[in-house]
Amino acid sequence: MKSKYIVVTGGVLSSVGKGTVSASLGLLLKEMGLRITLVKVDPYINVDAGTMNPYMHGEVFVTEDGAETDLDLGHYERFADIDMSKYNNITAGKVYFEVIRKEREGKYLGQTVQIIPHVTDEIKSMIHKASQMRDAQVTIVEIGGTVGDIEGLPFLEAVRQMKLEDEEGVIFVHVALVEYLKATGELKTKPLQHSVQELRRIGIQPDIIIARAEVPLDEESRRKIALFTNVKPEFVFSSYDVDTSYEVPSILQRQGLHRKVISKLQLSPLNEERNPLESFVSKMRSSSKEVKIALVGKYVKLKDSYISIREALYHAGVALDVRPKIKWIEAEELEGGKVDVLEEAEGIIVLPGFGSRGVEGKIEAVRFAREKDVPFLGICYGFQLAVVEFARNVLGLRGAHTTEVDAETPHPVVTVLEGHHPVKGMGGTMRLGAQTIHIKEGSILHKIYGSVLVTERHRHRYEVNPNYIKKLEEGGLTVSGVSDNGLVEFVELKGHRFFVGSQPHPEYKSRPLHPSPIYMAFLAASAKLEPEVEVAVGSR
Ligand code: GLN
């Protein structure tokens, strides 16, 4: 069966919550029994998000099948509670790569290869493919960036053609910012009107407008937007600031967005509407016990860099009825033993990362947690540096390090293992995606997961050096999970309240109603809930 398409564009500014709106709509339609999928289209030339600095683009989200994608795919997974794949993130880089590959193969022999039709055809075929992979009845296609960006034009042209090819089967939703002037209490709709004009200039008439503002839209602004954008007032929706993005589905549901979409696309839902995030949000608000968690990393100035970890803590918080209070700590600031800021933390997470900046600060944070018996979770780089810290300060291996930072270290406790990683080039060459982990029976990790076989998603290049495993274990740092081919996946420290290192990123699989077992166990230990680690309930 052919899918219907909802194309979501953005206007005025980027980061106005298009991803959250798309994900919310996905959730509402899915809950009505429709098979849905979501596609993020990113007009940049990078083939994937893997080589981008988190400061510029926020977190790189990793799917089960190991694609390094835009963080919006994380929103889609968390809100709609479905797995994304490499087909769900289309970039200009992927499209051009494919077009040029076909040209070299002689697939367009004799023709001049052009944006229209060759690039636009490729875009359409990638969108259809993503939809077919899920056998979707409804496919939500979010176009990254803002209308008017030069890179976005071929993509807008492609979706314009999709409408032409299937008049009844495609609708356009435009999400744009409406500025709120505090001084006068006015909502300024002019930039939104201009962004719609820009869309119409290229042949796209939005069916639905979502005005994103600090405050709810008043009737006069709604009427004005409707008039100037050629949309009926009942098709103008308001998305306003709330303390948690999980509230956005409720906001849109209350205004009936899903019903308008269903009637426009003539869909036949199976169920009455439901919104499982509603009770999640009320639980989130009602939990009163606060637990202070320090997150130590290198990209902490942009909170979006670690969005899945922050969310995993919130999901675990709701399940445990505690409220994680997050304190972001710049690793570099801890260097030279300036760890006072960690004093009040009830739990410490050392975050993932790359390169040498802030590494000694992260190691200080591990040491603090280990020596002061503060619950500790090291994720990926945080795990590797916990191994380094242990080697140096417990095993007394002076100068122990990861070869990522010190290629000449006398004790390369973390290093690239020949044969395990393709080391040529940077794009897509890490250990990526979901892999099976064998958990040691009777370990803390075993209690946490309640299983000896689990899968978590990976994104790293360096591994614990097998030559040091025996020494680490003799010193008390137990290996409690290994990959199929024996690589170290989890470690835990004997005799500590909670000290776990994780090579994979369990946060990628955490969802509001299925929190990650590791994050739950860590948060439970931080909040001093008893029994500390037997919290595997509710996990997937
Ligand atoms: N830099 C480390 C590696 O490549 C850790 C990566 C990470 O934290 N995601 O192995």
Side-chain angles (χ1 to χ4, degrees), residues 2-68:
K2 229 169 61 184
S3 176
K4 307 271 175 132
Y5 290 91
I6 303 167
V7 178
V8 182
T9 52
V12 184
L13 280 184
S14 59
S15 318
V16 291
K18 241 185 316 147
T20 310
V21 164
S22 306
S24 302
L25 190 51
L27 167 73
L28 295 175
L29 297 176
K30 182 193 157 202
E31 288 298 327
M32 295 186 86
L34 295 162
R35 273 193 318 282
I36 64 127
T37 193
L38 293 115
V39 182
K40 176 72 193 290
V41 171
D42 280 310
Y44 47 67
I45 310 287
N46 303 59
V47 170
D48 60 37
T51 53
M52 278 192 262
N53 187 325
Y55 265 149
M56 288 164 72
H57 204 72
E59 168 186 281
V60 176
F61 187 78
V62 179
T63 55
E64 284 288 287
D65 64 349
E68 298 175 274

Side-chain angles (χ1 to χ4, degrees), residues 352-355 379-381 384 404 430 459-462 503 505:
F354 294 86
I379 301 291
C380 209
Y381 212 13
Q384 296 171 356
E404 177 168 358
M430 286 186 259
R459 180 173 187 251
H460 68 280
R461 194 170 273 117
Y462 294 80
Q503 181 62 86
H505 296 256

Side-chain angles (χ1 to χ4, degrees), residues 10-13 146-147 174-181 187-199 224-225 228-229:
V12 184
L13 280 184
T146 327
V147 170
H174 187 61
V175 185
L177 182 75
V178 170
E179 192 82 57
Y180 176 60
L181 294 188
L187 284 167
K188 291 296 199 188
T189 64
K190 190 66 60 80
L192 180 147
Q193 296 172 30
H194 282 287
S195 75
V196 173
Q197 273 166 24
E198 184 65 21
L199 259 184
K224 208 195 268 171
I225 291 172
F228 282 95
T229 61

Side-chain angles (χ1 to χ4, degrees), residues 61 64 308-309 312 315 352 377-380 437 445 448-449 454-458 489-490 500-511 514-520 540:
F61 187 78
E64 284 288 287
S308 292
I309 290 180
H315 304 160
L377 181 59
I379 301 291
C380 209
I437 301 170
L445 262 296
I448 289 175
Y449 279 105
V454 301
T455 64
E456 292 291 1
R457 300 184 195 170
H458 296 72
E489 298 276 21
F490 295 126
V500 167
S502 170
Q503 181 62 86
H505 296 256
E507 63 274 12
Y508 287 137
K509 284 175 64 145
S510 179
R511 302 207 178 141
H514 311 284
S516 157
I518 290 200
Y519 282 86
M520 267 180 78
R540 288 186 301 147

Side-chain angles (χ1 to χ4, degrees), residues 19-295:
T20 310
V21 164
S22 306
S24 302
L25 190 51
L27 167 73
L28 295 175
L29 297 176
K30 182 193 157 202
E31 288 298 327
M32 295 186 86
L34 295 162
R35 273 193 318 282
I36 64 127
T37 193
L38 293 115
V39 182
K40 176 72 193 290
V41 171
D42 280 310
Y44 47 67
I45 310 287
N46 303 59
V47 170
D48 60 37
T51 53
M52 278 192 262
N53 187 325
Y55 265 149
M56 288 164 72
H57 204 72
E59 168 186 281
V60 176
F61 187 78
V62 179
T63 55
E64 284 288 287
D65 64 349
E68 298 175 274
T69 70
D70 185 81
L71 57 78
D72 277 321
L73 274 80
H75 292 130
Y76 303 165
E77 289 209 352
R78 287 186 289 268
F79 280 69
D81 200 3
I82 50 175
D83 281 347
M84 293 284 110
S85 77
K86 62 180 178 197
Y87 299 105
N88 300 84
N89 194 187
I90 300 171
T91 63
K94 267 189 202 163
V95 172
Y96 288 121
F97 212 80
E98 194 52 23
V99 169
I100 291 170
R101 190 188 63 74
K102 284 186 179 156
E103 188 276 333
R104 290 290 80 184
E105 272 184 7
K107 291 249 165 68
Y108 312 114
L109 216 52
Q111 303 174 42
T112 308
V113 181
Q114 294 177 301
I115 302 275
I116 307 173
H118 303 95
V119 168
T120 47
D121 279 354
E122 192 59 49
I123 293 169
K124 286 187 288 179
S125 119
M126 286 188 176
I127 292 175
H128 291 312
K129 171 94 184 173
S131 166
Q132 283 154 9
M133 292 307 287
R134 281 254 156 198
D135 191 21
Q137 293 167 291
V138 191
T139 306
I140 300 172
V141 182
E142 179 190 347
I143 313 280
T146 327
V147 170
D149 296 346
I150 191 162
E151 293 93 342
L153 281 173
F155 291 95
L156 292 175
E157 170 58 19
V159 291
R160 185 193 66 79
Q161 292 172 20
M162 280 171 63
K163 173 82 176 174
L164 200 64
E165 288 157 13
D166 185 4
E167 196 71 35
E168 314 277 82
V170 179
I171 60 166
F172 293 102
V173 176
H174 187 61
V175 185
L177 182 75
V178 170
E179 192 82 57
Y180 176 60
L181 294 188
K182 273 206 188 76
T184 56
E186 266 179 302
L187 284 167
K188 291 296 199 188
T189 64
K190 190 66 60 80
L192 180 147
Q193 296 172 30
H194 282 287
S195 75
V196 173
Q197 273 166 24
E198 184 65 21
L199 259 184
R200 292 170 67 190
R201 201 174 61 77
I202 49 185
I204 294 175
Q205 165 64 50
D207 298 276
I208 290 170
I209 304 280
I210 299 183
R212 176 74 178 82
E214 228 176 290
V215 297
L217 211 58
D218 56 79
E219 272 320 301
E220 195 196 324
S221 307
R222 186 191 304 274
R223 272 201 307 278
K224 208 195 268 171
I225 291 172
L227 184 65
F228 282 95
T229 61
N230 198 26
V231 166
K232 289 204 182 86
E234 61 268 32
F235 288 90
V236 177
F237 292 84
S238 164
S239 176
Y240 45 88
D241 282 6
V242 268
D243 55 354
T244 161
S245 60
Y246 296 115
E247 169 94 40
V248 175
S250 312
I251 291 179
L252 298 174
Q253 184 186 21
R254 281 199 290 273
Q255 298 172 67
L257 174 67
H258 55 305
R259 284 195 292 275
K260 286 282 186 297
V261 166
I262 282 171
S263 73
K264 278 243 172 211
L265 287 174
Q266 294 163 36
L267 295 161
S268 338
L270 298 174
N271 308 332
E272 286 299 304
E273 55 190 80
R274 288 188 316 161
N275 174 5
L277 289 186
E278 213 161 62
S279 60
F280 175 83
V281 170
S282 55
K283 280 190 202 142
M284 199 168 180
R285 293 205 174 116
S286 69
S287 46
S288 53
K289 185 178 164 52
E290 216 172 63
V291 46
K292 297 192 191 76
I293 305 295
L295 297 191

Side-chain angles (χ1 to χ4, degrees), residues 337-384:
K338 290 185 264 152
V339 288
D340 300 0
V341 284
L342 295 175
E343 278 313 333
E344 57 173 28
E346 292 164 278
I348 296 174
I349 297 184
V350 176
L351 297 164
F354 294 86
S356 53
R357 186 168 71 78
V359 155
E360 292 303 325
K362 288 182 175 178
I363 292 174
E364 292 286 355
V366 178
R367 178 176 198 158
F368 181 92
R370 184 179 56 76
E371 290 180 344
K372 303 264 159 115
D373 207 24
V374 180
F376 168 82
L377 181 59
I379 301 291
C380 209
Y381 212 13
F383 148 82
Q384 296 171 356

